[in-house]
Amino acid sequence: MDLVSVEDVRGAAEDIAGVVLRTPLLRTSWDADLWLKPESLQPVGSFKLRGATHAVARLTAAERARGVVTHSSGNHGLALAYAARAADVPCRIVVPEGAPAAKVDRIRALGVEVVTVPPPRRVPEAERIVAETGAVLVPPFDDRRIIAGQGTIGLEIVEDLPDVDVVLVPVGGGGLSSGVATAVTALRPAATVIGVEPELAADTRDSLAARSVVVWGEDRTYRTTADGLRLPPSELTLAHLLARLDGIVTVSEEEIRAAMGRLVRDARLVVEPSAAVAVAARLFRRDELPAGRTVAVVTGGNVDPAVLASVLGR
């Protein structure tokens, strides 16, 4: 399989400049060898803006006129809506009935068309729109443009901390971890890239062990509060992870919540559960990780206020 290259990631960096925030590395007060990459500070509150912006930038003139479409009620839908508006490209977001009203309202506020369907109709409805209008489908992770865009995080990490030893990156569908591993392994071969996922959604761990996609199913993965990490990898992302990820660890729900609390109280970052797993690994699974200068990718801050309040004990 033809994998994304570091040259693809460099190209993505040029494409997203001016739309995506170049987030800083923040040194933590509680761990002298830990830095945070706070993607929660992006205009849409998550790293998803990188891949979405790159995908929109790579559209041809004809494709731009026909617009883009995706199926999402969360961070990817919000990111694509923002990227499309910034580029003046028509956009439709298919969302499932029952999606959080706050997220849907944020998507709609960006001026894009929101199509609401029963949950099982999300993908078929997006495919119908593509067939009828010629719109370009922009999937959340199973796409080379998305992987290259997310990889710009790894590019920035190595530029800002050239002697980084370990990069901890959350793993869901694998677009982020594929891109980050691509950039870091090319630019800093001595560094180790470790994926982190919830114990209750460890399908990537199992997929890496089996060397083929293992699907747990949402009836199992829904148990984790890290809702952004409930999907299995695709064939495309698994190929990247098999070639470039150095290992994977899992963390418990209690550890995720504790890491959220630490990030809010001591780093002053509002984070969602999925964004806290890398820090949870550093806090509680340190004996499973290499030593040295470590960067934890903090992926997003679009957390339900009730969830945040419960973590903070209020």
Side-chain angles (χ1 to χ4, degrees), residues 63-241:
E63 289 171 336
R64 290 171 66 91
R66 295 194 298 269
V68 293
V69 62
T70 197
H71 46 88
S72 169
S73 61
N75 289 340
H76 176 64
L78 184 59
L80 185 62
Y82 186 98
R85 186 183 71 167
D88 196 26
V89 170
C91 178
R92 299 174 184 84
I93 308 294
V94 179
V95 303
E97 293 173 351
K103 288 187 176 180
V104 177
D105 289 345
R106 288 187 67 190
I107 293 171
R108 189 174 281 115
L110 290 169
V112 305
E113 180 181 346
V114 174
V115 181
T116 305
V117 296
R121 289 289 307 164
R122 285 184 298 180
V123 175
E125 180 63 16
E127 292 173 343
R128 183 194 67 77
I129 293 171
V130 168
E132 289 190 1
T133 68
V136 176
L137 181 65
V138 181
F141 57 86
D142 189 26
D143 187 285
R144 290 175 56 86
R145 300 164 299 178
I146 296 294
I147 292 171
Q150 319 304 29
T152 58
I153 292 174
L155 199 69
E156 293 173 11
I157 288 172
V158 177
E159 288 175 352
D160 290 349
L161 190 65
D163 56 353
V164 61
D165 296 308
V166 184
V167 177
L168 303 176
V169 57
V171 181
L176 172 65
S177 48
S178 293
V180 170
T182 293
V184 173
T185 56
L187 300 173
R188 170 68 170 158
T192 302
V193 183
I194 303 292
V196 187
E197 63 181 348
E199 290 178 349
L200 297 183
D203 36 19
T204 299
R205 178 200 62 193
D206 290 356
S207 297
L208 288 169
R211 302 189 68 83
S212 64
V213 174
V214 174
V215 178
W216 279 28
E218 290 189 66
D219 57 329
R220 289 180 67 189
T221 62
Y222 83 92
R223 298 173 300 162
T224 179
T225 56
D227 58 294
L229 306 179
R230 290 172 176 164
L231 294 177
S234 67
E235 295 288 349
L236 177 64
T237 57
L238 182 60
H240 284 79
L241 298 180

